Amino acid sequence: MRIEACTTDAAIDDAIAILQQLWTDTDTSFIREFIDEEEYHLFGLYDDNLRAVAGCSIQRVLHHRTHAWIHDLVVDQAHRSAGYGSELLSFVTDWARSNECAVVALAATLENDSAGEFYIENGMQRWGYVFEQEC
């Protein structure tokens, strides 16, 4: 098992296929455009083939100081519950620490109970709520 940055077109194409398992209604070109942003770091966990991806950025906000924000952490549906998500989350935490981040943070939808349970089982704490309104 290895984790590395997804930087080649082939690796990004494979990652997009897994990301679309979470973002089912999102167009491939929009995902690629987001991945191409300079601050977005896309990591892939490989076990012969790509099994999981995590997209992160380093941000600063007053309540967390410098933190790593996980935009996406998706394990290929056929390979869930095999430890890949935990391994990738641990990697992101180490990556954040090496980039002098105070915390790792993310948002999960209310209806995704399994994601909430996964993050709590992996040592994360529920900190607050995310509110949004369409403009």
Side-chain angles (χ1 to χ4, degrees), residues 60-72:
R60 286 186 53 182
V61 293
L62 290 175
H63 64 274
H64 278 318
R65 297 165 281 154
T66 302
H67 68 279
W69 181 261
I70 299 175
H71 297 275
D72 323 284

Side-chain angles (χ1 to χ4, degrees), residues 5 38-39 62 83 88 90 93 103 108:
E38 187 174 323
E39 297 83 21
L62 290 175
L88 191 53
S90 178
T93 301
V103 297

